[in-house]
Amino acid sequence: MSTAPRRTALDALHRSLGATMTDFAGWDMPLRYGSERDEHHAVRTRAGLFDLSHMGEITVTGTQAVDLLDHALVGNLGTVATGRARYTMICREDGGILDDLIVYRTGETEYLVVANAGNAQTVLDALRERAAGFDAEVRDDRDAYALIAVQGPEAPGVLAAVTDADLDGLKYYAGLPGTVAGVPALIARTGYTGEDGFELFVAPEHAEGVWRALTKAGAPVGLVPCGLSCRDTLRLEAGMPLYGHELTTGLTPFDAGLGRVVKFEKEGDFVGRAALEAAAEKAAANPPRKLVGLVAEGRRVPRAGFAVVADGTVIGEVTSGAPSPTLGQPIAMAYVDAAHAEPGTAGVGVDIRGTHEPYRVVALPFYRRRK
């Protein structure tokens, strides 16, 4: 039996703007409003506005909230100050990645865990299971929030026009309560585009008013609404992993080149510790395939699942690929054998429908914004 996709609080507004809608992780989401290339360039040069209300918010509270999170996740949440955020992961007992997360410490004993849309229920179930024995509550707050992001070099000025919050004092990976367009919001300086920007957690009933206020404030600098399509090319250029592509249950953080998020030095045991210690030792002694960037010599675009080859031998697999509007060339992220992972490695190609198209191996990310 099919289930109709869920709709965000901004669904009617997206449709009034002529958005092309798509089913994404069980949600009806805007793919694009017009040209995805134009939306991409707007974020890189001006500002873009995104509806991210499909993301999964989970609140963890209680005197042992931090102890629960340190047990359930691979990061050290005890070192996160109130008002700050941390990128981390939740893993299975065998070390496989269930999801990558951002965790905000919103109070002395309160944390907001933000999971990817497709994994939100999995993360919620895992946290509730792992909460046994801890004085902590795990609350499903997915219906309590709409999430709107404004991203791009003009984003600080756009948001400043509709809030009295101290944006200049708000650091990267930090969040503070404030008001936006006259309504309460958690204002976070985070994002998934490689640009400066903000993510705004507001009540669903306030979402449309906030969106319209930001649209009006951004009009003079060329802000445009943006869909999931340009969000994907923006994150790809910035070398940011996407769950289901660069991250899966079949990979540990060490396999993904993100072993730095695993904090073995924290006190106590955590789910997956033994398996991750073994994975760390294995990676140090015999590096697995490494995640690299690939830039096309020609014009053919690689897609996830395409084989990476060298001298007629398969040496890896593309995890994400797309035309890069910023570079003007097709790009990809791929896991390749360590022997072919150094930037500049010659003789590497991608098998695109039987033809081995030449690609350059480059370091990630493909794009870094000017500070």
Side-chain angles (χ1 to χ4, degrees):
M1 186 176 68
S2 63
T3 302
R6 298 180 65 185
R7 297 186 174 189
T8 77
L10 293 165
D11 182 80
L13 181 57
H14 298 317
R15 294 172 192 277
S16 74
L17 293 172
T20 298
M21 307 297 288
T22 188
D23 185 347
F24 181 80
W27 289 81
D28 214 11
M29 298 296 295
L31 186 64
R32 68 182 70 84
Y33 297 84
S35 161
E36 56 201 54
R37 179 177 292 269
D38 289 348
E39 292 171 22
H40 181 109
H41 285 309
V43 176
R44 286 279 179 257
T45 61
R46 305 186 305 277
L49 196 57
F50 297 83
D51 179 9
L52 306 181
S53 302
H54 60 312
M55 300 295 281
E57 295 87 5
I58 302 163
T59 300
V60 180
T61 61
T63 58
Q64 291 187 306
V66 68
D67 302 299
L68 164 58
L69 291 173
D70 275 343
H71 166 70
L73 311 180
V74 302
N76 188 350
L77 281 303
T79 61
V80 179
T82 300
R84 299 307 303 267
R86 178 148 304 163
Y87 176 77
T88 187
M89 294 182 183
I90 182 168
C91 291
R92 302 192 306 193
E93 197 68 66
D94 66 0
I97 302 167
L98 284 173
D99 202 12
D100 60 335
L101 312 165
I102 296 180
V103 180
Y104 300 89
R105 186 172 185 177
T106 54
E108 184 64 28
T109 59
E110 182 168 298
Y111 295 80
L112 180 64
V113 178
V114 181
N116 285 297
N119 294 332
Q121 188 64 48
T122 298
V123 174
L124 178 66
D125 292 344
L127 287 175
R128 283 178 168 166
E129 180 182 337
R130 297 173 189 188
F134 291 93
D135 182 14
E137 177 193 357
V138 177
R139 188 173 71 235
D140 182 359
D141 272 348
R142 284 175 288 180
D143 292 335
Y145 292 104
L147 179 56
I148 296 170
V150 54
Q151 299 277 302
E154 299 288 350
V158 172
L159 183 56
V162 295
T163 183
D164 56 3
D166 178 18
L167 300 183
D168 290 338
L170 186 63
K171 297 178 180 179
Y172 187 51
Y173 264 70
L176 81 166
T179 59
V180 176
V183 302
L186 173 64
I187 304 167
R189 199 163 206 154
T190 46
Y192 194 53
T193 63
E195 298 297 336
D196 191 11
F198 305 87
E199 295 181 319
L200 310 172
F201 297 83
V202 300
E205 62 267 26
H206 296 148
E208 184 171 337
V210 170
W211 180 281
R212 291 189 184 281
L214 289 166
T215 298
K216 182 178 179 181
V221 296
L223 173 144
V224 300
C226 295
L228 293 179
S229 186
C230 84
R231 179 171 155 88
D232 190 51
T233 53
L234 289 161
R235 72 91 193 167
L236 177 56
E237 289 183 350
M240 294 177 169
L242 176 64
Y243 195 88
H245 290 253
E246 289 72 41
L247 308 175
T248 70
T249 53
L251 296 170
T252 73
F254 295 95
D255 296 325
L258 292 166
R260 64 182 181 276
V261 307
V262 182
K263 304 301 182 184
F264 294 121
E265 69 275 13
K266 64 180 176 178
E267 292 184 9
D269 195 13
F270 62 90
V271 176
R273 178 191 271 275
L276 290 170
E277 286 175 340
E281 291 179 11
K282 181 181 177 182
N286 183 25
R289 285 183 169 180
K290 293 186 176 180
L291 187 64
V292 301
L294 299 174
V295 177
E297 301 288 349
R299 310 303 303 172
R300 298 187 73 186
V301 179
R303 298 299 182 188
F306 285 13
V308 182
V309 296
D311 299 322
T313 301
V314 175
I315 60 162
E317 183 176 300
V318 171
T319 54
S320 297
S324 165
T326 302
L327 275 63
Q329 297 169 284
I331 60 172
M333 287 198 283
Y335 282 109
V336 302
D337 294 344
H340 296 86
E342 284 300 311
T345 299
V348 172
V350 175
D351 186 337
I352 301 181
R353 297 179 181 86
T355 302
H356 292 181
E357 299 287 339
Y359 272 74
R360 288 186 290 114
V361 178
V362 300
L364 292 171
F366 301 96
Y367 166 86
R368 291 184 190 274
R369 70 181 174 93
R370 296 177 181 177
K371 300 296 184 181

